[in-house]
Amino acid sequence: MTVGVALNATDPDNQIDATVRLAGEAAAAGLRSAWFGQTFGADSPQLAAIVGREVPGLQVGTSAIPVFGRHPLTVASQALTAQAATHGRYHLGVALGSRFLVEGGYGVPFERPVARLREFLTVLRQLTETGAADFEGELLTTRTPIPARVPGADAGVPLLVAAMGPQALRASGELADGILPYLAGPRALSDHIVPAVHAAAEAAGRPAPRIVALVYGVVTDDVDAVRETATEALAFYEQIPSYARAIELSGGTRAVDVAVIGDERTVAAEVRRYRDAGATEVVLAGTEIAGDADRRRTWDLLGQLAD
């Protein structure tokens, strides 16, 4: 099982330099992949491309680019460039996003998100596999009057979706290569998420999808204090229906209830529970929350758990 980490560098001087340094530490600890969230700040495919060039051998991925406020041609161009830069080690994750961020940030209505996701994935597949597209849907139109191919990225780009709801899981199983569930505990994975996406992929005649489980967690002895900090850090997700549902299906009431916070034995056992629940890869996020010493301690453990 691949074990990776979500990198969130907060250095006030230069985020890019700090991210590269962290990625080097992650690789040295034995971690196999580094993932980058997309905010209104740094561009995640560019971060992935830079890290992939600077840290050879480390798999890099985006988790995840919202399908609102962007066009598939632009996202495919970013992804293919990152894939060529990393010589095949880039993984593209996309997401529905949330009404709050889409309407508040981009000023566009958050309407028919799953329909948009389906069209977005359909076009991305054409662009990343062939370097061309000719698509006119209800929500998106994409054509390539000039080629969109990027030499060096001819093998395409793995497409993953931050999907957890039934409709998004169905679309992901039919059209993507895997999913990136976050704040979905082992129970939600094994009982709901994994069976749904596997069934959709099988019905569509596609291979079994990758299940890249993003888990908020850290190794620490100061469990109560870190849990309190994590409660505040994760509260935002409780307002988003897809996350709230995943937390409930996991047996929790607050987002922190599905966080993994404890000593090495505790965290190792939880990582194995995610594997047993169907995760093909486990990526820990939030490992910086308790400071550098506990972050390094966490990464050392994860390196030992990686294949």
Side-chain angles (χ1 to χ4, degrees), residues 30-226:
L31 291 163
R32 303 298 178 83
S33 65
W35 295 79
F36 308 92
Q38 181 63 57
T39 65
F40 293 140
D43 182 74
S44 56
Q46 285 193 65
L47 267 180
I50 292 167
V51 167
R53 296 285 285 189
E54 295 286 333
V55 188
L58 192 66
Q59 301 287 318
V60 291
T62 294
S63 176
I65 297 175
V67 296
F68 285 89
R70 294 167 176 82
H71 192 277
L73 274 171
T74 304
V75 174
S77 177
Q78 292 176 297
L80 289 167
T81 301
Q83 191 67 299
T86 61
H87 295 271
R89 289 178 283 118
Y90 176 69
H91 308 258
L92 172 62
V94 299
L96 299 178
S98 70
R99 184 179 299 277
F100 170 73
L101 293 177
V102 168
E103 296 186 349
Y106 292 105
V108 298
F110 188 71
E111 296 176 350
R112 302 184 65 192
V114 175
R116 180 173 292 272
L117 173 66
R118 283 185 170 277
E119 294 190 7
F120 212 98
L121 288 171
T122 299
V123 177
L124 277 180
R125 180 73 67 187
Q126 293 180 18
L127 290 167
T128 57
E129 291 188 351
T130 70
D134 185 2
F135 179 86
E136 185 168 351
E138 295 182 70
L139 303 172
L140 295 170
T141 297
T142 304
R143 294 190 177 89
T144 48
I146 58 175
R149 177 177 172 269
V150 176
D154 302 285
V157 180
L159 303 179
L160 303 139
V161 182
M164 292 183 291
Q167 294 184 65
L169 288 169
R170 189 176 306 116
S172 301
E174 294 172 3
L175 299 169
D177 300 306
I179 58 171
L180 293 155
Y182 180 44
L183 298 180
R187 185 193 303 179
L189 285 179
S190 63
D191 294 351
H192 302 277
I193 292 173
V194 173
V197 73
H198 272 270
E202 184 177 359
R206 292 190 53 79
R210 291 167 55 190
I211 313 294
V212 184
L214 275 80
V215 182
Y216 195 94
V218 64
V219 174
T220 183
D221 294 325
D222 199 1
V223 174
D224 291 339
V226 173

